[in-house]
Amino acid sequence: MTQHESAPEDEPRANGSANASGGSASSDSVAAGDATTPAAQWAPLEERREPHPASAPTAAPTPEDQLSAQIDASLAQPDPLALRPRTSSVVLCAVFGVVFLGVAAAVYWLGVHTVDGQSYEDLAIMNFADTMPAWLSFGNLKSGLVIGVSLAFGAVAMLVAAARKRWWLLGQLAVFAAVAFAAAKLLKPLLPRPLLVHVESSVNNSAPSGHTMLAAAAGLMLLAAVPRAWRACAAVLSTVFTSIVGVSVIYDRWHRPVDVVMSVCIAGACMMFALACTRASGMDRTGSRASSPSVQIAATALITLGLCAIAYGTYVLWQVFPGLQYASAWAAPGACAAAAAMVVGFAGLVNGMVLMMRQITAAPLTRLGLIGEPPAPPRKGAA
């Protein structure tokens, strides 16, 4: 009876253990009743995870995609041509500046330190007014008039640069004017003039010509300061003014031809060096840059005119060269014609070259310059 009485007490205990095991007792009883059935293997459920997108295979980028990515990356970077001109333009300015200085030195040496050169200069300055047309005197220009017009050109150039808020350009023009003025004042008393032949003109050195230097520098300042639309007109005006002053100082016997040519070349060299230092606010605004047919035409015409006039003057000098050694009277007309051609030729060549390099350094065609400013959004109510 003890076993039978303990059975009811064990039953609830078994039921409790069955409930605690979550109904596993029934399965155990089935498994115990069938000895041939293997025990069930239970494993915990694993969380189903979706494959990571990075592990999915990706297609290889096409050449069009690579090109588009390169374009987007380049457009995201700041354009260097918005801050400075191309390196090739800067190098060209420096090279042309050195060339102009070399030409000025060569002209001075040929005209002052050779017997034929001194004979030619004396023949030209003493016979220019009697040989050339009277209108080349241009009313016998007064020194005050030349200085006044030159200062007016320079003042307008500075005001235009300030009005355009081209502050770096304003500094360039100020330094250029100071260097040109110093060159005219310092070189004349320093450069020697040996007495190689008997001359009728003054034996003192007169190179370079201060009036011509002032006129050429003022014209080049105006050319460099004005916007693109006015550069061609400024170059022509500068060429005409420089030529008038250069010819008139020879006509009035103020200076010899070499003095005038040397001054124009020195002014051109100083401006080339100034353009080589161009930076952001010395350039045209990005978005307003464009190629200029007027600049291309004017620069080509001035350079061509200058080279042709210089070639003509050189040919005339070669024709009268036998008479230069003895200052023959028959060589005087040729010497005077060569002097006028050389003055006009070098004025046109220098202004044409400066016009070309000013356009290249001030308006390099960047991506923004080619495209221009973005279009303005349409206004409300517009058709």
Side-chain angles (χ1 to χ4, degrees):
M1 278 307 287
T2 306
Q3 295 177 354
H4 293 285
E5 290 177 358
S6 62
E9 295 178 0
D10 296 334
E11 184 178 356
R13 191 176 300 170
N15 292 337
S17 62
N19 293 334
S21 61
S24 62
S26 60
S27 300
D28 293 339
S29 62
V30 174
D34 189 1
T36 61
T37 304
Q41 300 294 327
W42 295 94
L45 294 176
E46 295 183 359
E47 182 182 359
R48 179 177 293 179
R49 297 179 180 178
E50 297 293 335
H52 195 273
S55 62
T58 56
T62 62
E64 290 78 6
D65 296 336
Q66 295 177 356
L67 179 61
S68 178
Q70 292 176 1
I71 293 176
D72 294 340
S74 62
L75 290 175
Q77 297 176 357
D79 195 337
L81 296 183
L83 304 176
R84 61 183 182 276
R86 288 181 173 86
T87 304
S88 59
S89 303
V90 175
V91 173
L92 276 178
C93 288
V95 169
F96 290 147
V98 173
V99 170
F100 282 149
L101 283 182
V103 172
V107 168
Y108 166 76
W109 185 82
L110 290 174
V112 176
H113 291 270
T114 62
V115 174
D116 295 334
Q118 288 194 3
S119 299
Y120 160 72
E121 283 199 303
D122 190 65
L123 199 63
I125 191 174
M126 297 305 299
N127 295 278
F128 199 88
D130 299 330
T131 304
M132 303 303 292
W135 62 267
L136 287 179
S137 65
F138 297 101
N140 299 106
L141 291 180
K142 305 300 181 182
S143 177
L145 179 62
V146 174
I147 296 175
V149 174
S150 301
L151 292 179
F153 279 5
V156 170
M158 302 293 280
L159 290 175
V160 169
R164 297 177 62 202
K165 298 181 179 180
R166 306 287 84 191
W167 308 120
W168 186 274
L169 176 60
L170 193 65
Q172 287 178 276
L173 297 180
V175 174
F176 164 75
V179 172
F181 178 79
K185 288 295 183 181
L186 297 179
L187 289 179
K188 187 177 296 184
L190 292 178
L191 293 178
R193 185 177 182 85
L195 184 60
L196 303 179
V197 295
H198 174 74
V199 294
E200 298 181 15
S201 59
S202 175
V203 296
N204 297 325
N205 177 56
S206 56
S209 169
H211 290 81
T212 308
M213 179 82 76
L214 183 62
L220 293 178
M221 288 178 63
L222 186 64
L223 165 59
V226 296
R228 170 179 51 86
W230 294 95
R231 283 180 188 138
C233 296
V236 174
L237 180 61
S238 176
T239 302
V240 173
F241 181 57
T242 303
S243 300
I244 289 175
V245 174
V247 172
S248 66
V249 295
I250 301 175
Y251 193 97
D252 294 334
R253 296 182 181 177
W254 292 358
H255 287 282
R256 304 174 176 91
V258 169
D259 306 345
V260 176
V261 173
M262 184 179 176
S263 300
V264 175
C265 290
I266 292 176
C270 293
M271 180 53 73
M272 285 295 183
F273 291 136
L275 295 180
C277 301
T278 301
R279 290 297 180 269
S281 61
M283 305 162 64
D284 295 342
R285 298 185 185 277
T286 305
S288 64
R289 302 172 186 175
S291 59
S292 176
S294 62
V295 169
Q296 296 175 6
I297 294 173
T300 303
L302 290 175
I303 294 173
T304 304
L305 170 66
L307 292 176
C308 291
I310 293 172
Y312 171 76
T314 304
Y315 172 76
V316 173
L317 283 179
W318 178 67
Q319 291 289 325
V320 301
F321 182 78
L324 296 181
Q325 296 180 349
Y326 305 102
S328 302
W330 64 268
C336 297
M342 289 290 187
V343 170
V344 176
F346 276 99
L349 178 62
V350 167
N351 280 276
M353 296 291 289
V354 171
L355 173 62
M356 176 182 68
M357 297 312 301
R358 176 56 185 161
Q359 176 68 19
I360 292 176
T361 55
L365 294 182
T366 64
R367 289 184 295 272
L368 295 177
L370 287 171
I371 298 173
E373 296 180 351
R379 288 178 291 183
K380 295 182 179 180

